[in-house]
Amino acid sequence: MKLWTSSNILSVDLRTGYCSCVHSEHLLNFFTKRTKELKPAVQSAPGWKLFGKVPPRENLQKDSKIIQQEYEARTGRMYKPPPPSTRRKNIEFEPLSTTALILEDRPANLPAKSVEEALRHRQEYDEMVAEAKKREIKEAHKRKKIMRERFKQEENIASAMVIWVNEILPNWEGMRATRRVRELWWQGLPPSVRGKVWSLAVGNELNITPELYEIFLSRAKERWKSFSETTSENDIEDAGASVADREASLELIKLDISRTFPSLYIFQKGGPYHDLLHSVLGAYTCYRPDVGYVQGMSFIAAVLILNLEEADAFIAFANLLNKPCQLAFFRVDHSMMLKYFAAFEVFFEENLPKLFLHFKSYSLTPDIYLIDWIFTLYSKSLPLDLACRVWDVFCRDGEEFLFRTGLGILRLYEDILLQMDFIHIAQFLTKLPEDITSEKLFSCIAAIQMQNSNKKWAQVFASLMKDNKEGDKNHSPALKS
């Protein structure tokens, strides 16, 4: 502790009680010397940065004034500054951006502007300002229009939610097939009732209960534990995929979970839905060992988890994958898959004949792009909100709408696809543009007619099944491949 007096400083060590007196002149000389030594460093400090002051660097460039003072002290000469610039300043306009530089006078070493040139520059500047104002007004109107549409959409969702909650859901069986409900369904389900409507529409033909889900989940956890203890990764590779599928390998499912909606970060390791998604997929592999785990299932389960509770999501997931179309694809039933492709091509040729011939000229078959769409029910190929709306109508219309949606996508990009070759078409359809909107897509889907020679989808598909049983495979180009 130090006590300051007028001429002396009393220093007291609190630990030992030792006192010492130092004359203030000595301290003053000491601090004056230190201040002189530190002064250049303080002046040359680069200043404050965003996250703190940057320490001064060595050999920093000296300020021009310091160099001037050192030169005068060393030579005894006084430095005369150059005469002030004779550049004319137009004080009426101050350039606020590069646009206003056109109004500035030229440097003194160049000829001055003529009156005509100055007037022309002024006119050009006014035109640029006017054009900038027009763009700004246009952008403001665009933003205002988007906000109005968003507000209108939110109002429609709110009013629709009231109808679904108070009128439709309490009287589900009697109202689900009415024209009014089907039209309201087409417009998209309110997010708050989406999961409930999906569950009711998909049904529970398998009679799965939450208790049954817990049983299969516990079995999956036991298999994961025993499998991880007795089998290494090298053993999995040596034994082949069948062992991994049969044992519901934790590593195999986790690999796909990490690839599920990666931009959301909620299904990756450490995310809030990672373990939940892993549980639903693992329980299903125990419930249906004949199907096992197939790539693409994680996207379907993830969409259901986002809209339903865990047990309800599993029930809807198991029943959804038990539908004929999904079962054919996930069990990789080639014969059935070819029939679906053949039915798709019948309506492809009916609705988009030019694009159909274009695809045929490159021998581009539906399996190249349609498998990925059907496997994930478009949840991987389309933006999530748009995929959920596709799911809405899929739950209403069944498998037919999956293929109608595919034709709607082809119709939406028909002009672009007609200009592409095989490789570019395959690449384009494998990764669709991200700016696709529900209004444009559903207007194209609505324009698709699912009727061929007065036969609807179910009738065309049944006819193909019958022809296949009779051994006649010449009715569809897809069946020849």
Side-chain angles (χ1 to χ4, degrees):
M1 181 177 69
K2 295 181 176 62
L3 301 177
W4 294 79
T5 64
S6 60
S7 59
N8 299 290
I9 300 175
L10 180 62
S11 178
V12 181
D13 192 331
L14 297 178
R15 294 173 298 176
T16 61
Y18 178 77
C19 301
S20 63
C21 181
V22 182
H23 199 276
S24 61
E25 292 181 357
H26 296 290
L27 276 176
L28 181 62
N29 293 335
F30 174 77
F31 282 116
T32 304
K33 183 178 180 182
R34 292 293 296 168
T35 304
K36 290 180 180 178
E37 292 175 356
L38 294 175
K39 189 174 182 180
V42 173
Q43 291 179 348
S44 61
W48 293 89
K49 297 293 182 181
L50 182 61
F51 296 105
K53 191 173 182 182
V54 177
R57 295 172 294 180
E58 296 181 359
N59 300 326
L60 291 173
Q61 293 183 353
K62 295 182 180 180
D63 186 72
S64 59
K65 291 183 179 180
I66 298 176
I67 297 175
Q68 174 186 338
Q69 292 172 359
E70 291 178 353
Y71 173 77
E72 291 175 356
R74 188 167 58 252
T75 61
R77 300 178 183 178
M78 294 298 294
Y79 176 74
K80 295 182 179 181
S85 174
T86 57
R87 181 182 179 185
R88 292 172 296 167
K89 291 287 291 184
N90 191 342
I91 61 175
E92 184 180 355
F93 304 103
E94 182 179 354
L96 300 178
S97 66
T98 55
T99 305
L101 292 177
I102 194 173
L103 299 177
E104 285 291 286
D105 293 331
R106 292 196 182 95
N109 59 334
L110 295 177
K113 294 180 182 180
S114 63
V115 177
E116 293 80 6
E117 187 177 9
L119 291 175
R120 188 177 74 253
H121 286 178
R122 175 67 187 180
Q123 183 179 0
E124 292 175 355
Y125 172 75
D126 292 340
E127 290 175 355
M128 286 187 287
V129 171
E131 188 66 27
K133 287 182 178 179
K134 287 181 180 178
R135 288 197 300 268
E136 186 176 350
I137 293 172
K138 186 178 180 181
E139 289 295 327
H141 284 310
K142 186 178 179 180
R143 289 192 297 268
K144 192 174 181 180
K145 182 180 178 181
I146 293 174
M147 290 302 295
R148 281 200 307 266
E149 291 176 352
R150 187 175 298 174
F151 182 73
K152 183 179 179 181
Q153 184 180 9
E154 290 175 355
E155 282 188 333
N156 293 336
I157 291 174
S159 59
M161 182 190 66
V162 174
I163 297 173
W164 279 99
V165 172
N166 296 333
E167 300 180 27
I168 301 174
L169 290 177
N171 307 286
W172 174 253
E173 293 300 332
M175 295 188 65
R176 63 178 298 179
T178 61
R179 182 176 179 179
R180 180 194 176 199
V181 172
R182 289 182 64 83
E183 289 177 354
L184 196 62
W185 209 330
W186 174 270
Q187 297 171 8
L189 297 172
S192 58
V193 300
R194 176 168 277 153
K196 180 64 175 177
V197 175
W198 285 0
S199 295
L200 292 171
V202 172
N204 189 10
E205 295 179 354
L206 300 174
N207 296 319
I208 302 175
T209 61
E211 292 76 18
L212 188 63
Y213 166 66
E214 293 295 335
I215 292 173
F216 285 110
L217 178 58
S218 61
R219 289 183 186 178
K221 290 181 179 179
E222 290 176 2
R223 289 189 178 184
W224 291 334
K225 184 178 180 180
S226 61
F227 189 67
S228 59
E229 290 176 353
T230 59
T231 310
S232 63
E233 293 183 4
N234 294 331
D235 295 334
I236 295 175
E237 295 178 359
D238 295 338
S242 59
V243 174
D245 291 340
R246 188 168 56 251
E247 297 291 343
S249 169
L250 181 63
E251 287 75 17
L252 181 62
I253 295 178
K254 277 187 175 181
L255 181 63
D256 257 11
I257 291 176
S258 63
R259 299 170 180 170
T260 305
F261 299 121
S263 59
L264 297 181
Y265 300 105
I266 59 176
F267 294 105
Q268 283 65 45
K269 189 174 182 179
Y273 290 102
H274 175 271
D275 295 339
L276 187 60
L277 180 57
H278 189 266
S279 297
V280 171
L281 294 174
Y284 181 78
T285 57
C286 292
Y287 174 70
R288 290 297 300 266
D290 58 320
V291 178
Y293 176 76
V294 182
Q295 284 187 336
M297 286 183 177
S298 61
F299 281 89
I300 298 177
V303 174
L304 291 170
I305 287 171
L306 291 174
N307 292 276
L308 291 163
E309 296 296 329
E310 181 176 353
D312 294 330
F314 175 80
I315 294 170
F317 180 73
N319 281 277
L320 189 60
L321 266 57
N322 197 52
K323 303 294 182 182
C325 181
Q326 279 64 50
L327 204 58
F329 276 81
F330 281 109
R331 296 182 72 172
V332 196
D333 188 336
H334 292 286
S335 177
M336 286 293 292
M337 291 169 68
L338 287 176
K339 294 181 184 66
Y340 280 109
F341 294 150
F344 174 80
E345 287 199 310
V346 169
F347 293 96
F348 187 3
E349 185 177 12
E350 179 74 20
N351 287 273
L352 305 168
K354 289 184 179 179
L355 190 61
F356 177 80
L357 293 176
H358 184 64
F359 277 27
K360 283 298 175 186
S361 65
Y362 287 111
S363 299
L364 199 149
T365 53
D367 57 285
I368 295 176
Y369 54 91
L370 202 57
I371 285 181
D372 194 42
W373 295 353
I374 302 299
F375 260 110
T376 61
L377 302 181
Y378 296 95
S379 56
K380 182 182 178 182
S381 307
L382 298 176
L384 183 57
D385 57 339
L386 180 53
C388 286
R389 189 173 171 188
V390 170
W391 278 48
D392 292 342
V393 188
F394 162 63
C395 290
R396 186 195 77 171
D397 295 348
E399 64 185 35
E400 172 186 332
F401 190 73
L402 295 178
F403 298 94
R404 189 180 180 188
T405 300
L407 293 174
I409 293 173
L410 296 180
R411 182 184 180 90
L412 179 61
Y413 297 109
E414 181 179 12
D415 294 337
I416 299 174
L417 295 171
L418 285 171
Q419 308 300 322
M420 294 182 178
D421 56 14
F422 178 92
I423 295 177
H424 290 92
I425 292 173
Q427 292 176 342
F428 183 88
L429 295 179
T430 301
K431 185 173 177 57
L432 295 171
E434 296 180 358
D435 59 350
I436 184 172
T437 61
S438 60
E439 291 78 12
K440 292 181 179 179
L441 177 59
F442 270 77
S443 63
C444 291
I445 294 174
I448 298 296
Q449 299 296 323
M450 297 301 286
Q451 191 166 335
N452 176 263
S453 301
N454 296 326
K455 289 184 178 181
K456 296 183 178 180
W457 169 268
Q459 295 171 319
V460 170
F461 187 76
S463 177
L464 289 168
M465 291 283 290
K466 182 180 179 181
D467 292 342
N468 184 257
K469 288 180 180 179
E470 295 175 355
D472 184 5
K473 298 183 180 181
N474 299 321
H475 288 275
S476 172
L479 293 177
K480 298 177 183 179
S481 58

